[in-house]
Amino acid sequence: IKNSTILSMVISVLCAFLGALVFTMHPILSGAVTSTVLCILSCQLFTMVNILGWSIGPIEVIALIVFVGYSVTYCMHVAHSYAVSTLSGASKEEERWRRTEEAIQSMGGAIFGSALTTAVSCFLLLFCTIRIFVQFGVVILMITVLSCVFALVFLPAVLMTVGPCRGKREENPTQQAA
């Protein structure tokens, strides 16, 4: 089961990268989204095994594989908004800052609202008497919170650091005079 699980995870993450590449049309943005998704999944796996004390069984494996697609959605919205931003700046740092800020302002409310409604709806699963429903509720709640936090905190930090720029810079006024 280990080899098939790893293969399934690799295929899922590769599909997430290709999906991000199609929507952002930029390998750096796709890499940022994929790296963020890997961080989310690592946090989820760590929490399930080390904090909750679960053993890795079929439910946990399915959750890790299936929720790759779920965890990519919030990040994809931020990355796509960054990609279509037409803002520029006098420097790469300023442009990255402005484009990231616009992406968070345009997508942040929708991402938070979506995460909140998902969290509230799966909260009821935590009170079920059947264990699999409780575990499912915990996993959905965990992936929702992690995805929202990483999309609104971690990914913007990555975009401000290494996000692609449009390449059009205003010339320095002292250079124009020369």
Side-chain angles (χ1 to χ4, degrees):
I1 196 166
K2 285 184 181 180
N3 290 337
S4 64
T5 301
I6 292 170
L7 179 62
S8 296
M9 286 294 294
V10 168
I11 291 170
S12 293
V13 171
L14 183 62
C15 287
F17 176 81
L18 293 174
L21 188 59
V22 167
F23 285 102
T24 63
M25 301 300 284
H26 202 286
I28 291 176
L29 288 175
S30 301
V33 167
T34 305
S35 298
T36 304
V37 168
L38 288 172
C39 289
I40 293 167
L41 294 176
S42 297
C43 288
Q44 182 180 8
L45 182 61
F46 176 83
T47 303
M48 289 186 331
V49 172
N50 294 317
I51 295 175
L52 299 175
W54 295 354
S55 60
I56 299 297
I59 294 169
E60 292 78 14
V61 169
I62 290 170
L64 286 172
I65 294 168
V66 169
F67 290 130
V68 168
Y70 184 78
S71 64
V72 78
T73 57
Y74 297 151
C75 297
M76 184 66 70
H77 284 84
V78 172
H80 182 263
S81 186
Y82 181 95
V84 300
S85 174
T86 58
L87 295 177
S88 62
S91 65
K92 286 183 178 184
E93 293 79 17
E94 182 183 349
E95 179 178 336
R96 288 177 181 143
W97 176 270
R98 292 179 71 197
R99 292 176 72 188
T100 302
E101 184 177 40
E102 180 184 40
I104 295 303
Q105 286 176 349
S106 66
M107 290 280 104
I111 290 170
F112 183 76
S114 175
L116 183 63
T117 57
T118 302
V120 168
S121 65
C122 78
F123 181 72
L124 298 175
L125 288 172
L126 302 178
F127 300 102
C128 289
T129 55
I130 301 173
R131 184 173 184 254
I132 192 168
F133 291 138
V134 174
Q135 282 186 309
F136 192 62
V138 167
V139 169
I140 293 173
L141 186 60
M142 189 177 9
I143 198 73
T144 300
V145 170
L146 287 171
S147 296
C148 182
V149 169
F150 272 83
L152 297 177
V153 178
F154 179 79
L155 182 58
V158 170
L159 293 176
M160 282 188 240
T161 306
V162 297
C165 296
R166 299 220 172 267
K168 298 175 184 173
R169 301 273 159 263
E170 296 176 16
E171 290 188 30
N172 188 338
T174 56
Q175 291 176 341
Q176 289 177 348

